[in-house]
Amino acid sequence: MGFRTRFAPSPTGPLHLGHAFSALTAFDRAQAEGGTFHLRIDDLDQSRARPEWEAQIHDDLAWLGLTWPQPVWRQSNRLPRYRAALETLWARGLLFACSCTRRDIQAAANAPQEGAAVLGPDGLVYPGTCRDRPRSVAMPEDIALRLDMKKAMQAIGNVSFFEEAFQPGEHRVTPEQMIETVGDVVLARRDMGAAYHLAIVIDDADQAITHVIRGADLFEATAIHVVLQNLLGLPTPRYHHHRLVRDDTGKRLAKRDDARAIALYRAEGRTPAEIRAMAGLPPPASSV
Ligand code: GLU
């Protein structure tokens, strides 16, 4: 199978230097491999996604010299696909409905009999409050759905993935690790019908992505993605978690770092080559 990678920004703010680094790293690699680079719009959170940010993403990436095939997928168009995957997990008894608020979870996790609260890649490890409530045959709507991690890991056992950049090598994901340090992750948010982990795993598989290239901040979440791939019978791509672009004080750039927005650099008259250099990337292969 040919090399396929993607850049999947959320249209909730301007692209900054960190995004440019990520997109260019993926694009350059696809070029070097004679493969394909896809743009995908992660707009699952419709309360924060804006069409003007989406348009700006297309514009900034094209200005940087990137090209990608059409049509560009949008997660907001794919909800029925995500719900169908949730239905299969529900039918297998691997999900449960959860009405806990963040506050409820905090309070339950800090209860004296619970021991020390564990912080996982998705926040506090869920203390299990709703896990043993009776489950209906039909999957409920309008309520958060969590993966019962213990049952999930009983179904698949140890799984693994290959990381190319950040801690390179084969990584084993064990039931103990997932149950103790990750827990019952949310796969459908009440307000969105699906959640990030589930949506990107399905998108990557349906788009036949062979290499996921993204920031090292998502390395920890990869174990969750690999578990979902195994539960849903989807292939596990190779992973490449790259370094994060940091500001002068060493802090990683966030959406609010509008000072490093690509649009602003463009308005100041900077060139794409300067953006590459600022992000610490070599000139594009075609120009050397
Ligand atoms: N929309 C996600 C983000 O910007 C994509 C993460 C991923 O590449 O898996 O963080």
Side-chain angles (χ1 to χ4, degrees), residues 81-108:
R81 172 74 177 102
Y82 309 142
R83 293 302 285 185
L86 288 166
E87 294 276 3
T88 68
L89 295 175
W90 181 266
R92 288 162 64 190
L94 299 178
L95 304 181
F96 62 90
C98 176
S99 54
C100 292
T101 62
R102 222 171 274 233
R103 229 158 85 212
D104 296 335
I105 295 170
Q106 187 92 42

PDB file of all heavy atoms in Angstrom, residues 81-108:
ATOM      1  N   ARG A  81     -21.401   7.501  10.520  1.00  0.00           N
ATOM      2  CA  ARG A  81     -20.341   6.470  10.513  1.00  0.00           C
ATOM      3  C   ARG A  81     -19.837   6.213  11.936  1.00  0.00           C
ATOM      4  O   ARG A  81     -19.637   5.076  12.350  1.00  0.00           O
ATOM      5  CB  ARG A  81     -19.202   6.962   9.602  1.00  0.00           C
ATOM      6  CG  ARG A  81     -17.961   6.119   9.627  1.00  0.00           C
ATOM      7  CD  ARG A  81     -18.136   4.802   8.883  1.00  0.00           C
ATOM      8  NE  ARG A  81     -16.892   4.043   8.879  1.00  0.00           N
ATOM      9  CZ  ARG A  81     -16.639   2.998   9.674  1.00  0.00           C
ATOM     10  NH1 ARG A  81     -17.541   2.581  10.526  1.00  0.00           N
ATOM     11  NH2 ARG A  81     -15.490   2.364   9.594  1.00  0.00           N
ATOM     12  N   TYR A  82     -19.628   7.297  12.687  1.00  0.00           N
ATOM     13  CA  TYR A  82     -19.149   7.136  14.068  1.00  0.00           C
ATOM     14  C   TYR A  82     -20.211   6.441  14.931  1.00  0.00           C
ATOM     15  O   TYR A  82     -19.897   5.583  15.750  1.00  0.00           O
ATOM     16  CB  TYR A  82     -18.784   8.489  14.705  1.00  0.00           C
ATOM     17  CG  TYR A  82     -17.850   9.353  13.891  1.00  0.00           C
ATOM     18  CD1 TYR A  82     -18.016  10.743  13.845  1.00  0.00           C
ATOM     19  CD2 TYR A  82     -16.796   8.800  13.167  1.00  0.00           C
ATOM     20  CE1 TYR A  82     -17.164  11.552  13.112  1.00  0.00           C
ATOM     21  CE2 TYR A  82     -15.943   9.594  12.422  1.00  0.00           C
ATOM     22  CZ  TYR A  82     -16.135  10.973  12.393  1.00  0.00           C
ATOM     23  OH  TYR A  82     -15.298  11.763  11.661  1.00  0.00           O
ATOM     24  N   ARG A  83     -21.489   6.836  14.718  1.00  0.00           N
ATOM     25  CA  ARG A  83     -22.559   6.233  15.521  1.00  0.00           C
ATOM     26  C   ARG A  83     -22.682   4.737  15.220  1.00  0.00           C
ATOM     27  O   ARG A  83     -22.958   3.943  16.105  1.00  0.00           O
ATOM     28  CB  ARG A  83     -23.910   6.935  15.275  1.00  0.00           C
ATOM     29  CG  ARG A  83     -23.997   8.376  15.749  1.00  0.00           C
ATOM     30  CD  ARG A  83     -23.723   8.597  17.208  1.00  0.00           C
ATOM     31  NE  ARG A  83     -24.770   8.204  18.126  1.00  0.00           N
ATOM     32  CZ  ARG A  83     -24.724   8.413  19.439  1.00  0.00           C
ATOM     33  NH1 ARG A  83     -23.675   9.032  19.980  1.00  0.00           N
ATOM     34  NH2 ARG A  83     -25.696   8.010  20.234  1.00  0.00           N
ATOM     35  N   ALA A  84     -22.460   4.362  13.961  1.00  0.00           N
ATOM     36  CA  ALA A  84     -22.548   2.935  13.596  1.00  0.00           C
ATOM     37  C   ALA A  84     -21.467   2.139  14.336  1.00  0.00           C
ATOM     38  O   ALA A  84     -21.724   1.035  14.833  1.00  0.00           O
ATOM     39  CB  ALA A  84     -22.402   2.764  12.089  1.00  0.00           C
ATOM     40  N   ALA A  85     -20.278   2.707  14.440  1.00  0.00           N
ATOM     41  CA  ALA A  85     -19.197   2.022  15.172  1.00  0.00           C
ATOM     42  C   ALA A  85     -19.563   1.927  16.660  1.00  0.00           C
ATOM     43  O   ALA A  85     -19.327   0.888  17.294  1.00  0.00           O
ATOM     44  CB  ALA A  85     -17.882   2.771  14.992  1.00  0.00           C
ATOM     45  N   LEU A  86     -20.151   2.983  17.183  1.00  0.00           N
ATOM     46  CA  LEU A  86     -20.562   2.956  18.588  1.00  0.00           C
ATOM     47  C   LEU A  86     -21.619   1.870  18.812  1.00  0.00           C
ATOM     48  O   LEU A  86     -21.589   1.161  19.814  1.00  0.00           O
ATOM     49  CB  LEU A  86     -21.124   4.324  19.014  1.00  0.00           C
ATOM     50  CG  LEU A  86     -20.079   5.442  19.152  1.00  0.00           C
ATOM     51  CD1 LEU A  86     -20.758   6.807  19.235  1.00  0.00           C
ATOM     52  CD2 LEU A  86     -19.196   5.217  20.390  1.00  0.00           C
ATOM     53  N   GLU A  87     -22.537   1.740  17.856  1.00  0.00           N
ATOM     54  CA  GLU A  87     -23.591   0.707  17.966  1.00  0.00           C
ATOM     55  C   GLU A  87     -22.979  -0.689  18.082  1.00  0.00           C
ATOM     56  O   GLU A  87     -23.450  -1.509  18.857  1.00  0.00           O
ATOM     57  CB  GLU A  87     -24.507   0.725  16.729  1.00  0.00           C
ATOM     58  CG  GLU A  87     -25.351   1.982  16.572  1.00  0.00           C
ATOM     59  CD  GLU A  87     -26.654   1.956  17.375  1.00  0.00           C
ATOM     60  OE1 GLU A  87     -26.887   0.966  18.103  1.00  0.00           O
ATOM     61  OE2 GLU A  87     -27.412   2.937  17.276  1.00  0.00           O
ATOM     62  N   THR A  88     -21.930  -0.951  17.294  1.00  0.00           N
ATOM     63  CA  THR A  88     -21.341  -2.295  17.359  1.00  0.00           C
ATOM     64  C   THR A  88     -20.669  -2.503  18.726  1.00  0.00           C
ATOM     65  O   THR A  88     -20.766  -3.580  19.307  1.00  0.00           O
ATOM     66  CB  THR A  88     -20.311  -2.584  16.231  1.00  0.00           C
ATOM     67  OG1 THR A  88     -19.162  -1.770  16.424  1.00  0.00           O
ATOM     68  CG2 THR A  88     -20.878  -2.339  14.853  1.00  0.00           C
ATOM     69  N   LEU A  89     -20.011  -1.471  19.241  1.00  0.00           N
ATOM     70  CA  LEU A  89     -19.371  -1.607  20.557  1.00  0.00           C
ATOM     71  C   LEU A  89     -20.438  -1.753  21.650  1.00  0.00           C
ATOM     72  O   LEU A  89     -20.267  -2.516  22.606  1.00  0.00           O
ATOM     73  CB  LEU A  89     -18.468  -0.397  20.839  1.00  0.00           C
ATOM     74  CG  LEU A  89     -17.257  -0.233  19.907  1.00  0.00           C
ATOM     75  CD1 LEU A  89     -16.519   1.071  20.214  1.00  0.00           C
ATOM     76  CD2 LEU A  89     -16.293  -1.426  20.039  1.00  0.00           C
ATOM     77  N   TRP A  90     -21.532  -1.016  21.486  1.00  0.00           N
ATOM     78  CA  TRP A  90     -22.626  -1.109  22.466  1.00  0.00           C
ATOM     79  C   TRP A  90     -23.201  -2.525  22.472  1.00  0.00           C
ATOM     80  O   TRP A  90     -23.411  -3.132  23.531  1.00  0.00           O
ATOM     81  CB  TRP A  90     -23.720  -0.083  22.142  1.00  0.00           C
ATOM     82  CG  TRP A  90     -24.838  -0.126  23.134  1.00  0.00           C
ATOM     83  CD1 TRP A  90     -26.001  -0.847  23.025  1.00  0.00           C
ATOM     84  CD2 TRP A  90     -24.892   0.529  24.403  1.00  0.00           C
ATOM     85  NE1 TRP A  90     -26.772  -0.675  24.148  1.00  0.00           N
ATOM     86  CE2 TRP A  90     -26.115   0.169  25.009  1.00  0.00           C
ATOM     87  CE3 TRP A  90     -24.021   1.391  25.086  1.00  0.00           C
ATOM     88  CZ2 TRP A  90     -26.486   0.634  26.270  1.00  0.00           C
ATOM     89  CZ3 TRP A  90     -24.397   1.854  26.348  1.00  0.00           C
ATOM     90  CH2 TRP A  90     -25.619   1.479  26.922  1.00  0.00           C
ATOM     91  N   ALA A  91     -23.445  -3.069  21.275  1.00  0.00           N
ATOM     92  CA  ALA A  91     -24.042  -4.404  21.157  1.00  0.00           C
ATOM     93  C   ALA A  91     -23.124  -5.462  21.784  1.00  0.00           C
ATOM     94  O   ALA A  91     -23.604  -6.484  22.272  1.00  0.00           O
ATOM     95  CB  ALA A  91     -24.308  -4.730  19.691  1.00  0.00           C
ATOM     96  N   ARG A  92     -21.829  -5.196  21.786  1.00  0.00           N
ATOM     97  CA  ARG A  92     -20.882  -6.145  22.393  1.00  0.00           C
ATOM     98  C   ARG A  92     -20.718  -5.912  23.905  1.00  0.00           C
ATOM     99  O   ARG A  92     -19.872  -6.557  24.539  1.00  0.00           O
ATOM    100  CB  ARG A  92     -19.514  -6.026  21.711  1.00  0.00           C
ATOM    101  CG  ARG A  92     -19.534  -6.617  20.296  1.00  0.00           C
ATOM    102  CD  ARG A  92     -18.370  -6.129  19.465  1.00  0.00           C
ATOM    103  NE  ARG A  92     -17.080  -6.560  19.977  1.00  0.00           N
ATOM    104  CZ  ARG A  92     -15.904  -6.094  19.517  1.00  0.00           C
ATOM    105  NH1 ARG A  92     -15.893  -5.195  18.544  1.00  0.00           N
ATOM    106  NH2 ARG A  92     -14.782  -6.524  20.026  1.00  0.00           N
ATOM    107  N   GLY A  93     -21.479  -4.978  24.442  1.00  0.00           N
ATOM    108  CA  GLY A  93     -21.431  -4.727  25.885  1.00  0.00           C
ATOM    109  C   GLY A  93     -20.176  -4.007  26.342  1.00  0.00           C
ATOM    110  O   GLY A  93     -19.798  -4.069  27.507  1.00  0.00           O
ATOM    111  N   LEU A  94     -19.515  -3.294  25.406  1.00  0.00           N
ATOM    112  CA  LEU A  94     -18.238  -2.649  25.758  1.00  0.00           C
ATOM    113  C   LEU A  94     -18.379  -1.179  26.126  1.00  0.00           C
ATOM    114  O   LEU A  94     -17.398  -0.523  26.462  1.00  0.00           O
ATOM    115  CB  LEU A  94     -17.252  -2.795  24.588  1.00  0.00           C
ATOM    116  CG  LEU A  94     -16.892  -4.233  24.197  1.00  0.00           C
ATOM    117  CD1 LEU A  94     -15.962  -4.259  22.995  1.00  0.00           C
ATOM    118  CD2 LEU A  94     -16.246  -4.950  25.383  1.00  0.00           C
ATOM    119  N   LEU A  95     -19.607  -0.644  26.028  1.00  0.00           N
ATOM    120  CA  LEU A  95     -19.817   0.769  26.373  1.00  0.00           C
ATOM    121  C   LEU A  95     -20.825   0.881  27.508  1.00  0.00           C
ATOM    122  O   LEU A  95     -21.642  -0.017  27.706  1.00  0.00           O
ATOM    123  CB  LEU A  95     -20.398   1.539  25.169  1.00  0.00           C
ATOM    124  CG  LEU A  95     -19.649   1.526  23.851  1.00  0.00           C
ATOM    125  CD1 LEU A  95     -20.396   2.378  22.824  1.00  0.00           C
ATOM    126  CD2 LEU A  95     -18.221   2.045  24.033  1.00  0.00           C
ATOM    127  N   PHE A  96     -20.766   1.987  28.213  1.00  0.00           N
ATOM    128  CA  PHE A  96     -21.839   2.294  29.159  1.00  0.00           C
ATOM    129  C   PHE A  96     -22.148   3.785  29.112  1.00  0.00           C
ATOM    130  O   PHE A  96     -21.285   4.586  28.743  1.00  0.00           O
ATOM    131  CB  PHE A  96     -21.488   1.824  30.582  1.00  0.00           C
ATOM    132  CG  PHE A  96     -20.276   2.478  31.196  1.00  0.00           C
ATOM    133  CD1 PHE A  96     -20.376   3.641  31.951  1.00  0.00           C
ATOM    134  CD2 PHE A  96     -19.007   1.909  31.027  1.00  0.00           C
ATOM    135  CE1 PHE A  96     -19.253   4.231  32.530  1.00  0.00           C
ATOM    136  CE2 PHE A  96     -17.883   2.493  31.594  1.00  0.00           C
ATOM    137  CZ  PHE A  96     -18.006   3.652  32.348  1.00  0.00           C
ATOM    138  N   ALA A  97     -23.409   4.098  29.430  1.00  0.00           N
ATOM    139  CA  ALA A  97     -23.838   5.493  29.419  1.00  0.00           C
ATOM    140  C   ALA A  97     -23.368   6.156  30.709  1.00  0.00           C
ATOM    141  O   ALA A  97     -23.384   5.529  31.770  1.00  0.00           O
ATOM    142  CB  ALA A  97     -25.357   5.562  29.303  1.00  0.00           C
ATOM    143  N   CYS A  98     -22.958   7.412  30.610  1.00  0.00           N
ATOM    144  CA  CYS A  98     -22.418   8.096  31.785  1.00  0.00           C
ATOM    145  C   CYS A  98     -22.988   9.502  31.882  1.00  0.00           C
ATOM    146  O   CYS A  98     -22.891  10.290  30.935  1.00  0.00           O
ATOM    147  CB  CYS A  98     -20.891   8.158  31.668  1.00  0.00           C
ATOM    148  SG  CYS A  98     -20.120   9.081  33.015  1.00  0.00           S
ATOM    149  N   SER A  99     -23.571   9.796  33.049  1.00  0.00           N
ATOM    150  CA  SER A  99     -24.154  11.122  33.234  1.00  0.00           C
ATOM    151  C   SER A  99     -23.308  11.987  34.161  1.00  0.00           C
ATOM    152  O   SER A  99     -23.734  13.053  34.590  1.00  0.00           O
ATOM    153  CB  SER A  99     -25.577  10.969  33.786  1.00  0.00           C
ATOM    154  OG  SER A  99     -25.517  10.176  34.961  1.00  0.00           O
ATOM    155  N   CYS A 100     -22.096  11.538  34.479  1.00  0.00           N
ATOM    156  CA  CYS A 100     -21.253  12.288  35.419  1.00  0.00           C
ATOM    157  C   CYS A 100     -20.775  13.607  34.805  1.00  0.00           C
ATOM    158  O   CYS A 100     -20.394  13.650  33.635  1.00  0.00           O
ATOM    159  CB  CYS A 100     -20.013  11.487  35.789  1.00  0.00           C
ATOM    160  SG  CYS A 100     -20.354  10.027  36.767  1.00  0.00           S
ATOM    161  N   THR A 101     -20.759  14.626  35.628  1.00  0.00           N
ATOM    162  CA  THR A 101     -20.126  15.881  35.209  1.00  0.00           C
ATOM    163  C   THR A 101     -18.653  15.798  35.628  1.00  0.00           C
ATOM    164  O   THR A 101     -18.267  14.915  36.399  1.00  0.00           O
ATOM    165  CB  THR A 101     -20.758  17.082  35.942  1.00  0.00           C
ATOM    166  OG1 THR A 101     -20.521  16.894  37.348  1.00  0.00           O
ATOM    167  CG2 THR A 101     -22.253  17.172  35.672  1.00  0.00           C
ATOM    168  N   ARG A 102     -17.883  16.749  35.129  1.00  0.00           N
ATOM    169  CA  ARG A 102     -16.477  16.805  35.517  1.00  0.00           C
ATOM    170  C   ARG A 102     -16.341  16.889  37.043  1.00  0.00           C
ATOM    171  O   ARG A 102     -15.468  16.288  37.648  1.00  0.00           O
ATOM    172  CB  ARG A 102     -15.860  18.064  34.893  1.00  0.00           C
ATOM    173  CG  ARG A 102     -14.499  17.829  34.324  1.00  0.00           C
ATOM    174  CD  ARG A 102     -14.088  19.043  33.562  1.00  0.00           C
ATOM    175  NE  ARG A 102     -14.601  18.953  32.209  1.00  0.00           N
ATOM    176  CZ  ARG A 102     -13.861  19.078  31.129  1.00  0.00           C
ATOM    177  NH1 ARG A 102     -12.590  19.330  31.246  1.00  0.00           N
ATOM    178  NH2 ARG A 102     -14.355  18.986  29.933  1.00  0.00           N
ATOM    179  N   ARG A 103     -17.276  17.671  37.634  1.00  0.00           N
ATOM    180  CA  ARG A 103     -17.246  17.849  39.082  1.00  0.00           C
ATOM    181  C   ARG A 103     -17.513  16.543  39.819  1.00  0.00           C
ATOM    182  O   ARG A 103     -16.850  16.204  40.797  1.00  0.00           O
ATOM    183  CB  ARG A 103     -18.284  18.903  39.468  1.00  0.00           C
ATOM    184  CG  ARG A 103     -17.625  19.868  40.350  1.00  0.00           C
ATOM    185  CD  ARG A 103     -18.050  21.189  40.586  1.00  0.00           C
ATOM    186  NE  ARG A 103     -19.054  21.324  41.617  1.00  0.00           N
ATOM    187  CZ  ARG A 103     -19.959  22.264  41.549  1.00  0.00           C
ATOM    188  NH1 ARG A 103     -20.015  23.053  40.488  1.00  0.00           N
ATOM    189  NH2 ARG A 103     -20.800  22.422  42.520  1.00  0.00           N
ATOM    190  N   ASP A 104     -18.512  15.778  39.305  1.00  0.00           N
ATOM    191  CA  ASP A 104     -18.833  14.475  39.926  1.00  0.00           C
ATOM    192  C   ASP A 104     -17.591  13.585  39.919  1.00  0.00           C
ATOM    193  O   ASP A 104     -17.296  12.892  40.890  1.00  0.00           O
ATOM    194  CB  ASP A 104     -19.913  13.722  39.115  1.00  0.00           C
ATOM    195  CG  ASP A 104     -21.243  14.454  39.096  1.00  0.00           C
ATOM    196  OD1 ASP A 104     -21.494  15.222  40.036  1.00  0.00           O
ATOM    197  OD2 ASP A 104     -22.017  14.259  38.126  1.00  0.00           O
ATOM    198  N   ILE A 105     -16.878  13.611  38.776  1.00  0.00           N
ATOM    199  CA  ILE A 105     -15.712  12.722  38.630  1.00  0.00           C
ATOM    200  C   ILE A 105     -14.619  13.130  39.605  1.00  0.00           C
ATOM    201  O   ILE A 105     -14.023  12.301  40.281  1.00  0.00           O
ATOM    202  CB  ILE A 105     -15.206  12.747  37.171  1.00  0.00           C
ATOM    203  CG1 ILE A 105     -16.281  12.142  36.262  1.00  0.00           C
ATOM    204  CG2 ILE A 105     -13.881  12.006  37.026  1.00  0.00           C
ATOM    205  CD1 ILE A 105     -16.024  12.303  34.791  1.00  0.00           C
ATOM    206  N   GLN A 106     -14.419  14.424  39.684  1.00  0.00           N
ATOM    207  CA  GLN A 106     -13.420  14.959  40.618  1.00  0.00           C
ATOM    208  C   GLN A 106     -13.747  14.526  42.041  1.00  0.00           C
ATOM    209  O   GLN A 106     -12.879  14.018  42.769  1.00  0.00           O
ATOM    210  CB  GLN A 106     -13.463  16.501  40.527  1.00  0.00           C
ATOM    211  CG  GLN A 106     -12.384  17.208  41.307  1.00  0.00           C
ATOM    212  CD  GLN A 106     -11.174  17.463  40.429  1.00  0.00           C
ATOM    213  OE1 GLN A 106     -11.342  17.850  39.276  1.00  0.00           O
ATOM    214  NE2 GLN A 106      -9.997  17.217  40.946  1.00  0.00           N
ATOM    215  N   ALA A 107     -15.021  14.691  42.421  1.00  0.00           N
ATOM    216  CA  ALA A 107     -15.434  14.376  43.797  1.00  0.00           C
ATOM    217  C   ALA A 107     -15.272  12.879  44.065  1.00  0.00           C
ATOM    218  O   ALA A 107     -14.722  12.475  45.095  1.00  0.00           O
ATOM    219  CB  ALA A 107     -16.878  14.808  44.018  1.00  0.00           C
ATOM    220  N   ALA A 108     -15.713  12.041  43.109  1.00  0.00           N
ATOM    221  CA  ALA A 108     -15.635  10.589  43.321  1.00  0.00           C
ATOM    222  C   ALA A 108     -14.185  10.119  43.348  1.00  0.00           C
ATOM    223  O   ALA A 108     -13.808   9.271  44.153  1.00  0.00           O
ATOM    224  CB  ALA A 108     -16.414   9.854  42.235  1.00  0.00           C
TER     225      ALA A 108
END
